[in-house]
Amino acid sequence: MLKSLGKPRESFDSNCQPVTNERLKKHMKTASAGPFKVTGLAPAVDSLSKIMTDIAGHLLPI
């Protein structure tokens, strides 16, 4: 990913921070993934959302 899109930002610390790299930023997505909201690369967010939907479809009501 670093080779293809570059670093997400110039500085890093222990706090979550938004992406500042414009080239990478256009590939980011925020969406609901079932019981929580997620931000990441669009294909990963789409995949996680589908997985969570599949899991929810297999859960039995309590």
Side-chain angles (χ1 to χ4, degrees):
M1 183 182 100
L2 290 175
K3 197 180 275 188
S4 297
L5 299 171
K7 291 181 183 180
R9 72 184 67 74
E10 287 303 315
S11 64
F12 298 89
D13 61 28
S14 60
N15 296 314
C16 187
Q17 300 173 37
V19 171
T20 59
N21 173 337
E22 291 301 323
R23 187 171 178 207
L24 181 58
K25 192 187 274 191
K26 66 183 174 185
H27 298 285
M28 301 297 288
K29 178 178 185 175
T30 298
S32 172
F36 53 88
K37 193 171 165 181
V38 62
T39 299
L41 288 172
V45 171
D46 292 342
S47 179
L48 179 60
S49 296
K50 182 179 180 334
I51 290 166
M52 294 303 290
T53 299
D54 290 350
I55 290 170
H58 289 88
L59 296 177
L60 298 174
I62 297 175

